[in-house]
Amino acid sequence: MGSTARLKVQVGAADFDAGEEIRLVQALTDSIGGVASFIGAMRSSNDGRRVDSMSLEHYPGMTEKALGRIVDEAANRWQLLGATVIHRVGEFFPGDQIVLVVTAASHRGEAFAACEFIMDYLKTRAPFWKKERTSEGDFWVEARDSDEQAADRW
Amino acid sequence: MIKVLFFAKLREALGQSELQWPLAAEASVEDVRAALVAEYPQWQEALCASNVLTALNQEVVNAKARVKPGDELAFYPPVTGG
């Protein structure tokens, strides 16, 4: 059950060390047989425009609750033994890391599936908004139908 | 009173991130939205756009949800994190 798993959710401006976070999850228990991870980073272009920088705003309080619920659901559905989600907010430049998901389970299938589920749900359920600064002006990023479809698979 | 919050593109369109709104008795989210637009007619287009989402006390709700004095009600555009 997910209730026995160590689940960590962190939202803030601070950068993260993915290697360290993976090591922390892997060290939780020797029942872990597979650890999957995903890093989302800022691209230097979007929809054909060069993006110089990006600001990422969120709804403090609700963000942490929404992520906590998503990770709880993943832990229950795939019997996770540990999981970490870190989402940064603030100002970003191309190449900066934005989000980290680490999932651990007895076998790789559960770890992979839970990792992808958490990202798909995070992208459509957690209250974050991106605004890009480009040579053509500032633009709020529009939600994509493909993200909604990805979340609906689960 | 209730606390009303606006985020991202909607916050910019309304020129406001937060306001205190007098709410004497329980009302629906839709009632509150209509009252806001009655007070600020220039908010009609942005606040009533079909893709605007609502959260009550930090939980996603629909337009029929009941708002009580002391609640926190947020309006925001589709999310784009990750």
Side-chain angles (χ1 to χ4, degrees):
Chain A
M1 282 298 291
S3 57
T4 60
R6 192 292 251 130
L7 309 174
K8 170 178 160 184
V9 168
Q10 182 180 309
V11 180
D15 200 1
F16 52 80
D17 177 341
E20 177 62 17
E21 297 297 336
I22 292 168
R23 274 190 292 279
L24 286 170
V25 170
Q26 199 170 352
L28 288 172
T29 161
D30 59 11
S31 300
I32 291 172
V35 179
S37 64
F38 174 84
I39 295 172
M42 185 190 157
R43 287 193 307 275
S44 58
S45 69
N46 194 19
D47 292 334
R49 281 194 295 254
R50 186 185 154 69
V51 183
D52 298 319
S53 68
M54 185 178 80
S55 63
L56 214 156
E57 109 176 36
H58 74 126
Y59 181 174
M62 182 173 169
T63 318
E64 292 81 354
K65 281 189 199 174
L67 292 178
R69 187 166 308 129
I70 292 165
V71 176
D72 276 345
E73 184 172 347
N76 283 310
R77 279 173 75 163
W78 288 283
Q79 288 81 51
L80 295 183
L81 298 169
T84 291
V85 175
I86 299 176
H87 202 302
R88 299 178 64 201
V89 293
E91 296 298 315
F92 295 88
F93 295 90
D96 284 350
Q97 6 185 51
I98 297 170
V99 59
L100 171 71
V101 177
V102 181
T103 51
S106 300
H107 302 282
R108 71 183 183 285
E110 287 78 13
F112 276 132
C115 189
E116 197 167 16
F117 166 88
I118 289 170
M119 272 311 300
D120 286 346
Y121 263 51
L122 181 159
K123 290 207 69 106
T124 52
R125 308 284 196 277
F128 293 99
W129 301 274
K130 290 172 179 165
K131 187 178 195 181
E132 295 175 341
R133 301 206 161 76
T134 81
S135 51
E136 297 167 38
D138 296 355
F139 299 93
W140 287 100
V141 173
E142 297 292 333
R144 294 172 194 271
D145 288 342
S146 57
D147 286 336
E148 199 60 53
Q149 286 156 14
D152 284 347
R153 291 181 297 163
W154 305 101
Chain B
M1 300 289 274
I2 58 169
K3 182 155 102 175
V4 183
L5 302 173
F6 308 107
F7 290 96
K9 194 176 187 173
L10 184 60
R11 169 176 54 76
E12 286 190 348
L14 305 186
Q16 197 148 0
S17 62
E18 178 176 339
L19 60 81
Q20 296 290 324
W21 186 253
L23 186 83
E26 200 175 293
S28 72
V29 168
E30 207 45 57
D31 293 338
V32 175
R33 189 198 316 248
L36 287 166
V37 168
E39 177 76 17
Y40 305 99
Q42 70 274 24
W43 288 5
Q44 166 90 36
E45 189 182 344
L47 195 57
C48 299
S50 61
N51 65 354
V52 170
L53 303 171
T54 50
L56 184 61
N57 299 324
Q58 307 186 348
E59 305 281 345
V60 176
V61 293
N62 65 28
K64 291 180 186 146
R66 305 302 292 177
V67 186
K68 297 183 298 300
D71 282 351
E72 178 176 299
L73 177 62
F75 295 90
Y76 56 87
V79 302
T80 56

